[in-house]
Amino acid sequence: MARRVNLLGAVVFVLGLGLWELLVRTGLLTFSYLPPPSDVAVGLGALLGNGELGTALGHTLLAAVTGWALAGLAGVAAGSVLGLVRPVWTYSMASLEALRALPIVAFVPVAVLLFGFSMQTEIMVAFYAALWPILLNTVNGMRTEARLVETGRVLKLSRAAVLWKIRLPAATAPIVVGLRLGLSTSLVLTLVAEMVGNPDGLGFLLVTKGQALQPGQMFAAVFVIGVTGIVLNGLVMGAARLAFRGQLASAGEA
């Protein structure tokens, strides 16, 4: 575990914060609303003290993770069918490509129109954002190399055995990558939905603190968003390593 700690990176990060503090305090950086890290820390303490941060963070996490979990179920199921059944892919490919080309941000006003200013809007936006990386990575993962499938046939494995023993293990690493990408995307689009379509969560907190000219608290919200993304990604990767250690190791992901 100790070898996984990037000490050099941590030192560089701390030095960067120190340089930022120095440049702002000495007036070399003259942006009107750029606070030094010390003010950001004070702002973070204020948000924690009045309970705003905890409430906003809980709301955002609930919406983003719910949408991502639903997208995981739908994406893996649909991607498996698309990857295994060639006729299904052939007849649906054009529709999927057209939908995938639509910028995800453009779906936010549509969701607001359909579901109003609600948690449901955020969940649907998070679901739509996370669905595509999960689905497409599952499709690619299920299309196992022909030589591996041929090995199963030589061993006279049934189709179910080929799926369980060859295709699914080979698809595990791409699916995990899709889940990680989907989670980060769902978090980003949840924040966007909160900024423009629902007066709750970290996105709304970020906007309101900016409009109130409280840069310390605004940057504190940005910091929390960044840490949240890192923690969520680490949790997903840790769970995947525990559940699929052998498959990820063979794919060079563990």
Side-chain angles (χ1 to χ4, degrees):
M1 180 63 70
R3 290 182 299 175
R4 294 182 180 274
V5 178
N6 187 346
L7 293 178
L8 182 59
V11 170
V12 172
F13 178 74
V14 172
L15 289 176
L17 290 178
L19 180 61
W20 175 5
E21 181 85 22
L22 178 64
L23 291 176
V24 173
R25 293 296 183 188
T26 58
L28 294 177
L29 284 179
T30 57
F31 295 103
S32 300
Y33 297 106
L34 178 65
S38 56
D39 287 356
V40 176
V42 172
L44 179 60
L47 291 176
L48 288 170
N50 60 26
E52 285 185 272
L53 183 59
T55 302
L57 178 60
H59 179 93
T60 299
L61 284 176
L62 179 59
V65 173
T66 301
W68 168 76
L70 294 173
L73 294 174
V76 172
S80 298
V81 174
L82 290 167
L84 295 172
V85 185
R86 177 62 65 174
V88 176
W89 171 255
T90 300
Y91 288 110
S92 60
M93 178 179 63
S95 299
L96 290 174
E97 288 297 325
L99 289 172
R100 188 169 67 92
L102 176 69
I104 299 175
V105 176
F107 184 70
V108 176
V110 176
V112 173
L113 183 64
L114 293 175
F115 304 107
F117 300 104
S118 64
M119 170 75 79
Q120 192 175 4
T121 295
E122 296 180 46
I123 292 174
M124 291 307 300
V125 169
F127 170 83
Y128 187 81
L131 179 65
W132 295 109
I134 297 172
L135 186 146
L136 295 175
N137 274 273
T138 302
V139 170
N140 292 330
M142 286 297 177
R143 292 177 177 171
T144 312
E145 293 183 24
R147 61 183 178 82
L148 295 178
V149 178
E150 187 61 32
T151 300
R153 291 173 181 166
V154 170
L155 295 174
K156 296 183 179 181
L157 297 178
S158 65
R159 288 189 176 183
V162 170
L163 174 63
W164 185 254
K165 296 182 178 181
I166 295 178
R167 289 189 183 274
L168 283 177
T172 299
I175 290 173
V176 170
V177 171
L179 289 171
R180 293 172 65 190
L181 292 173
L183 183 55
S184 61
T185 307
S186 71
L187 177 61
V188 170
L189 267 295
T190 298
L191 293 168
V192 172
E194 291 170 349
M195 290 177 183
V196 302
N198 194 27
D200 282 301
L202 286 175
F204 182 71
L205 179 67
L206 181 65
V207 171
T208 54
K209 294 307 178 183
Q211 293 174 341
L213 301 181
Q214 295 179 316
Q217 294 187 20
M218 186 188 74
F219 273 83
V222 173
F223 170 76
V224 171
I225 290 170
V227 172
T228 300
I230 294 171
V231 171
L232 288 177
N233 180 71
L235 289 174
V236 171
M237 200 59 213
R241 287 194 179 111
L242 289 174
F244 310 111
R245 187 173 187 85
Q247 294 92 323
L248 295 179
S250 63
E253 293 285 339

